[in-house]
């Protein structure tokens, strides 16, 4: 059995001694790409292989940034070429989770049919400003069109982009997320950018879902947006890196208020996914 997760950020493998104590099998890593972003593990006794495929745009892209997301040039995005990182393994997967979203907010130059057609956030380049919505709609429509006609026999989940909880700034300018408990109902509102991304995702999924059944493709939606709005405590915050204050308790560190790495929200995701897998 083969499973795949596209563009997840957090995963945990238990130390061998702890795994044995808990009676949990420790998998064997059988693949890792040059950048250590795409990996594959095998659980021998279950004949289960899990792949973590780093494909943040789902289409072919060239990025120029460091581990903290600081870019030296615009992303070169090919809107009509699916990323071979996931495309090559796609036919063999029994279960697959696809997600993307906020990467499309980055400055980018858009290519179609081998030529540059426009861009997003590229002043001074004498290119047509098309905006991220154009690229995101194009990409998701292309991906969904491929999936719905692929006659894939496994179970495919499309997960909508999730909300972030940056306060007093964003990822690149000092935003933080100090909450340690869930928010009260209505206390947190979805940001405009998150709402725009989700609306595009729901629109393209609806277009595809009307046709996938006729092609015997099993495509499901995972939309956790409303639930996760109330979980500002689910992000790693300053603990994106191990022991960030070990050398300086007042150090200014990069906060991660975007990804979901804390028990609670992730457990809910797993429960929902397993319920769908087992009971449809």
């Amino acid at each position: 059995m083969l499973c795949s997760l596209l563009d997840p950020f957090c995963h945990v493998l238990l130390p061998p001694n702890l795994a044995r104590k808990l009676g949990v099998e420790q998998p064997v890593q059988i693949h890792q790409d040059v950048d250590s972003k795409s990996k594959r593990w095998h659980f021998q006794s279950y004949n289960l292989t899990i792949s973590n495929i780093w494909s943040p745009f789902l289409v072919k892209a060239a990025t120029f940034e460091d581990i903290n997301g600081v870019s030296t040039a615009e992303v070169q995005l090919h809107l009509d070429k699916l990323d071979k990182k996931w495309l090559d393994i796609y036919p063999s997967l029994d279960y697959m989770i696809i997600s993307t979203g906020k990467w499309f907010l980055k400055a980018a130059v858009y290519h179609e049919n081998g030529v540059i057609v426009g861009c997003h956030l590229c002043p001074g380049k004498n290119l047509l400003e098309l905006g991220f919505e154009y690229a995101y709609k194009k990409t998701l429509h292309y991906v969904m069109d491929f999936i719905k006609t692929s006659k894939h026999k496994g179970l495919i989940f499309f997960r909508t982009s999730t909300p972030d909880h940056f306060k007093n700034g964003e990822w690149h300018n000092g935003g933080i997320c100090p909450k340690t408990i869930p928010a009260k109902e209505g206390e947190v509102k979805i940001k405009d950018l998150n709402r725009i991304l989700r609306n595009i995702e729901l629109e393209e999924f609806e277009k595809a879902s009307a046709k996938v059944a006729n092609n015997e493709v099993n495509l499901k939606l995972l939309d956790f947006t409303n639930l996760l709005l109330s979980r500002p405590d689910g992000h790693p915050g300053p603990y994106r890196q191990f022991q960030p204050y070990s050398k300086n308790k007042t150090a200014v560190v990069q906060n991660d208020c975007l990804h979901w790495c804390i028990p609670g929200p992730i457990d809910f995701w797993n429960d929902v996914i397993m319920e769908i897998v087992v009971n449809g």
Side-chain angles (χ1 to χ4, degrees):
M1 180 166 60
L2 295 172
C3 301
S4 170
L5 303 174
L6 290 185
D7 190 21
F9 181 78
C10 298
H11 55 268
V12 176
L13 296 181
L14 297 176
N17 290 340
L18 180 57
R20 284 193 292 270
K21 288 181 180 179
L22 296 176
V24 177
E25 181 176 352
Q26 185 75 355
V28 176
Q29 183 172 313
I30 58 176
H31 171 75
Q32 178 175 300
D33 67 2
V34 176
D35 298 324
S36 298
K37 290 184 175 180
S38 293
K39 300 180 181 181
R40 188 173 300 127
W41 301 270
H42 182 66
F43 294 80
Q44 185 173 0
S45 63
Y46 293 92
N47 192 26
L48 170 67
T49 299
I50 296 180
S51 294
N52 168 16
I53 305 172
W54 181 257
S55 180
F57 293 99
L58 301 180
V59 292
K60 182 180 177 181
T63 59
F64 310 91
E65 64 178 44
D66 62 19
I67 192 172
N68 292 317
V70 178
S71 299
T72 56
E74 294 88 355
V75 177
Q76 299 296 314
L77 203 55
H78 298 264
L79 303 179
D80 56 355
K81 294 182 179 179
L82 296 177
D83 188 351
K84 289 179 65 64
K85 290 179 183 177
W86 71 269
L87 189 62
D88 288 347
I89 196 175
Y90 174 80
S92 66
L93 298 173
D94 297 306
Y95 301 94
M96 183 176 183
I97 301 175
I98 299 174
S99 64
T100 181
K102 293 183 177 67
W103 281 81
F104 283 83
L105 303 179
K106 295 177 178 290
V109 174
Y110 302 143
H111 302 250
E112 294 181 59
N113 298 316
V115 299
I116 295 175
V117 297
C119 67
H120 174 55
L121 299 177
C122 57
K125 289 192 174 294
N126 195 29
L127 296 175
L128 178 63
E129 172 63 44
L130 293 172
F132 73 89
E133 294 172 78
Y134 171 87
Y136 201 33
K137 288 179 181 179
K138 275 263 183 179
T139 295
L140 284 187
H141 185 81
Y142 188 33
V143 171
M144 293 295 179
D145 193 57
F146 168 77
I147 289 175
K148 73 186 181 186
T149 59
S150 66
K151 298 189 181 300
H152 191 277
K153 299 304 180 184
L155 176 57
I156 304 169
F157 292 99
F158 174 63
R159 181 180 65 75
T160 58
S161 54
T162 56
D164 64 78
H165 292 89
F166 285 103
K167 296 289 185 182
N168 303 321
E170 297 295 331
W171 178 281
H172 62 285
N173 57 9
I176 59 173
C177 43
K179 289 272 190 178
T180 57
I181 60 174
K184 296 179 181 178
E185 184 175 357
E187 182 180 349
V188 181
K189 303 295 183 182
I190 189 170
K191 296 179 181 178
D192 288 342
L193 285 176
N194 292 333
R195 176 180 49 78
I196 291 170
L197 291 172
R198 180 171 177 262
N199 287 343
I200 292 173
E201 291 157 355
L202 295 178
E203 179 182 348
E204 293 303 326
F205 177 83
E206 286 301 320
K207 291 178 184 176
S209 63
K211 298 181 179 179
V212 292
N214 295 333
N215 295 327
E216 299 181 342
V217 175
N218 195 0
L219 177 64
K220 302 288 187 181
L221 180 70
L222 293 176
D223 182 11
F224 298 128
T225 301
N226 291 329
L227 171 89
L228 294 177
L229 276 175
S230 66
R231 295 305 304 266
D233 58 318
H235 305 290
Y239 299 98
R240 176 171 175 261
Q241 302 294 339
F242 182 62
Q243 295 183 343
Y245 302 114
S246 60
K247 295 182 179 179
N248 183 354
K249 293 186 177 181
T250 61
V252 177
V253 300
Q254 172 75 58
N255 274 253
D256 185 345
C257 307
L258 171 65
H259 298 100
W260 302 88
C261 303
I262 307 301
I266 296 298
D267 298 326
F268 176 83
W269 291 11
N270 290 337
D271 289 343
V272 171
I273 292 170
M274 286 307 300
E275 174 65 25
I276 295 174
V277 168
V278 174
N279 298 316

